[in-house]
Each structure stands twice: as C-alpha cells, then as structure tokens.
Amino acid sequence: MGVDIDPFHAISISKIAYDLKAQGRSIIHMEFGQPSTGAPARAIEEAKKILSAESLGYWESAPLKKRLCQHYLDTYGVSVRPGQIAITAGASAGLVSALACRFSAGDTIAMARPGYVSYRNTVKALGMKALELDCGPENRFSLTAERIATLEPAPDGLIIASPANPTGTIMSGEELSALASVCRERGIAIISDEIYHGLSYTRRTHSMLEFEPDAFVINSFSKYFSMAGWRLGWLLAPDAYADKAAAYTGILFLTAPSLAQHAALVALDETDELQGHLETYRANRSLLLKALPQMGLDEIAPPDGAFYVYANIERFSDDSMAMCKEILTDTGVVLAPGIDFDPENGHRYIRFSFAVSTAETHEAIARLAPWFKARART
C-alpha cells in the first residue's frame, strides 16, 4: 500500500469555482500563487522563434545554467558552478530530487507550520518523517535558531522558505545566519526554498548560500518570472551532492521542457518588465492591508514578500474550509483554506493571493467587504 498524503484542499475549491464559472458566474481566483501577469514579452517571442526553427527534444541548457551562475554572483555575491545546477520541471521536481539524493527513508525532516502543503507530503511520500514545528505570530510565523537548537534528537534535515508560503514572511540575514550556524553544529542538512525571491516589499531577500554553501537551494521561474505554466525551475546542490542530484533529476524526470528553457534564458534579463509586475503586486498588497482590517481581519501574518496575506478568521469561523466554500458561493471570490498549510491550527486561517490584477483586487474587496460585515452581524 502507498503512503497516505493529505489532499490540496485549495484544488478542490478551485474545481468548484470553475464549475460555477462554466455556469456563467463571475469568479476571482485568489486561491493559488499564480501570477496573473504573463511571461515577459521577449521570452514569448523567443519561444515562438524556437518553435518555428527547432524540433525540440530532451535537453538541459548549458547557457541557462551559466546564466544562473551569473545571477547568483550578481544578486547574492555567491559563486557557484554550472555543474551544481540541475534544471528541473518546476520547483516541485527540485524538492523531490533534493530530498531523495540527500536523505534516506526514515530520516526526520523539520519544517515550519504553517508551511507549503507539499513539504510535509513530499517528505511523507518518500518514506521520511515530517517534523512540523508550530510557528505562531510571536515569531512572525517563522522558525528560529533557538528552536532548532533545542530539538532532541536533532532532525536529519530542515526545510526553510523565505519569503514563506503562506505567510510571506522574509527572514533577515541575521536570522538565516543563526539558523545556518545551528544546523552546521548539529549536522542538520538544509534545503532552502527560494521560489519567491524577487518578490519583496519590506526587506531584502538573502539566499541561504550566503551563510551555508552546503545548503540545497530550490528556485523556479513560476513566481517572479511569471512562468508558472512553463514548468521550469532549478536545484542548486552542494559540490559533494551535485552529481547525485543530477542523476536523480535525470532518472526521475528526464529533462525539463526544452521550450521553457529557451524562454527562461531571455526572461532572466527582462528586469524592467518583471519589476513592473512587482509593482502590480505591491499595489494589490497595499489595497488588501488597508481593506482587510476594516472587514475584521486584523490579525495577519507579515506579508514581507511573495504575494499572500494569511489572515486569522476565528472571530467569524472555526472551519476555514467551510468558510472558503461559503465565500465562493456567495461572492465568487476563491480563497485558500488554512488547513492546507497548517493541519493543526489552519482551521482558523485563510490565505489571500494578491497575484491577480489590481482591477480584480478592487473587485474582490468590493464583494468581500459586505460579506464580512453581514457575517459579523450574525
């Protein structure tokens, strides 16, 4: 028998939303971290050119790996080799390869709760033990070095994310450095999910590689580069595991989409257009941070980065799944239930994604404000 894993509840709510849309309902999708902005225009043009000129096949782009090395040097001051990089079919494939090549069945992998639903489920699916550490508002919903230092026995690995999903919390350089130091002392291997880098509003995003060169780093073109549907990411492995990580990636996933790799090489240089996308998210964030407290949602995680607001709903409901379904039915706004990210306390939270357009953000607020006002009366 296979390992039981938890479903992604936001997907089931999204399916209901698409059924309603097919019936003619107006739907605003704020359930997924999926940019409404498309891939950069020049990247799309490059893809069209490649489609007309090449048959495409199994391929890992050497120019893309070289360009990513330059990205790490320019952005973080960190030198890495192309041989450390495996191009993956999205960040999810990178997570699977990192876990599979570094750990064994039965190993314990620690992670923050709330956290991305796939962390604990991928760990469980690979026969490892997910150790979820409750992180509340007192610690900005984030792991601390002090917490990791007190774990007995020490876990084999640690997954961190900054900016985090679902909270948007960004860990400072000092916090990351302290975590790296504790993990190094205790022999805990680090996997750093940096998929939301580039999407920051309050502070700089640091790569864990600045503090721990032996960390595994996962990233993707899905978020900042607005290429979610192109299914392209990368895994950066430490030298000692680079060949093994490449072998796992090749055996499990063969290669990432060739067309996406051609487009991504161009996308990496489209800074002006991508920063324009960031300004759209910044505007949406400001709108929500002003509107949500007026609706009674004034206990939220710090959305330093990414494009999420994680809000406490306990004054309205103790069932986030039921509440999200009710909001969808009544308003056409699709939100993610907190139980996806926190199976213990997530029934008291919902997540808003502000990766939609600014016009949709205005409309969502216009629909939700009277709904919450009426809910408060009852």
Side-chain angles (χ1 to χ4, degrees):
M1 294 178 63
V3 176
D4 289 333
I5 60 173
D6 304 316
F8 201 162
H9 295 93
I11 292 178
S12 64
I13 292 178
S14 187
K15 288 179 180 177
I16 298 172
Y18 279 106
D19 288 340
L20 291 173
K21 187 175 183 179
Q23 298 169 23
R25 288 285 304 276
S26 171
I27 301 296
I28 301 175
H29 288 280
M30 303 180 80
E31 75 273 36
F32 295 136
Q34 178 169 285
S36 59
T37 49
R42 284 192 62 245
I44 294 173
E45 287 304 312
E46 178 69 12
K48 291 177 180 178
K49 184 176 72 175
I50 294 297
L51 275 176
S52 301
E54 296 189 18
S55 59
L56 300 175
Y58 303 129
W59 179 61
E60 187 177 53
S61 171
L64 179 57
K65 293 168 75 170
K66 182 178 179 181
R67 178 63 183 82
L68 286 171
C69 290
Q70 188 63 47
H71 168 73
Y72 277 91
L73 187 61
D74 294 343
T75 307
Y76 309 109
V78 172
S79 295
V80 297
R81 300 183 301 102
Q84 292 178 254
I85 298 174
I87 306 299
T88 61
S92 297
L95 177 62
V96 171
S97 293
L99 288 167
C101 83
R102 179 61 180 84
F103 304 104
S104 301
D107 283 353
T108 298
I109 314 299
M111 63 200 71
R113 176 168 55 77
Y116 181 44
V117 59
S118 288
Y119 297 155
R120 67 174 182 272
N121 284 311
T122 302
V123 165
K124 289 162 60 178
L126 291 172
M128 302 166 194
K129 300 173 184 176
L131 176 61
E132 295 185 277
L133 304 174
D134 185 29
C135 298
E138 66 279 2
N139 290 316
R140 302 175 71 250
F141 296 90
S142 191
L143 290 169
T144 65
E146 291 78 12
R147 184 74 178 279
I148 302 304
T150 60
L151 293 177
E152 293 296 345
D156 301 286
L158 173 68
I159 297 176
I160 65 166
S162 174
N165 177 12
T167 62
T169 304
I170 293 177
M171 300 175 74
S172 69
E174 292 77 11
E175 290 171 317
L176 289 172
S177 178
L179 268 175
S181 179
V182 168
C183 288
R184 194 178 307 117
E185 291 170 3
R186 308 198 72 195
I188 303 170
I190 297 173
I191 296 178
S192 179
D193 182 355
E194 301 179 1
I195 191 173
Y196 294 102
H197 276 217
L199 300 173
S200 59
Y201 314 100
T202 64
R203 57 169 73 182
R204 178 190 165 194
T205 50
H206 289 271
S207 174
M208 179 51 84
L209 292 176
E210 297 175 51
F211 313 102
E212 179 48 76
D214 286 335
F216 287 77
V217 170
I218 299 164
N219 210 323
S220 169
F221 288 91
S222 293
K223 309 301 182 181
Y224 176 70
F225 296 95
S226 294
M227 297 177 67
W230 298 74
R231 307 313 305 131
L232 190 69
W234 68 91
L235 167 63
L236 205 162
D239 278 315
Y241 288 89
D243 290 343
K244 193 174 182 181
Y248 266 94
T249 301
I251 290 295
L252 294 175
F253 307 104
L254 204 54
T255 63
S258 297
L259 185 64
Q261 294 183 67
H262 284 287
L265 183 60
V266 174
L268 278 161
D269 292 320
E270 295 305 293
T271 305
D272 289 345
E273 184 173 348
L274 295 169
Q275 287 300 112
H277 296 174
L278 180 63
E279 292 310 308
T280 295
Y281 309 143
R282 189 189 305 277
N284 297 349
R285 172 182 176 273
S286 295
L287 288 169
L288 285 174
L289 291 184
K290 179 180 179 181
L292 293 181
Q294 296 173 358
M295 299 180 201
L297 301 172
D298 52 3
E299 294 184 33
I300 63 173
D304 303 319
F307 27 52
Y308 305 121
V309 174
Y310 194 58
N312 188 313
I313 59 165
E314 61 185 327
R315 70 174 57 175
F316 300 100
S317 173
D318 63 355
D319 188 338
S320 60
M321 184 69 172
M323 187 171 180
C324 284
K325 289 180 178 178
E326 190 176 350
I327 289 172
L328 169 58
T329 301
D330 293 346
T331 72
V333 178
V334 201
L335 304 173
I339 54 173
D340 272 335
F341 315 103
D342 185 345
E344 298 295 325
N345 300 311
H347 60 283
R348 297 186 287 113
Y349 289 86
I350 57 176
R351 190 194 71 178
F352 297 77
S353 168
F354 52 86
V356 295
S357 68
T358 300
E360 287 176 306
T361 304
H362 277 291
E363 177 62 22
I365 291 170
R367 297 182 190 184
L368 291 171
W371 190 92
F372 277 101
K373 183 177 181 181
R375 184 85 178 202
R377 285 201 302 269
T378 59

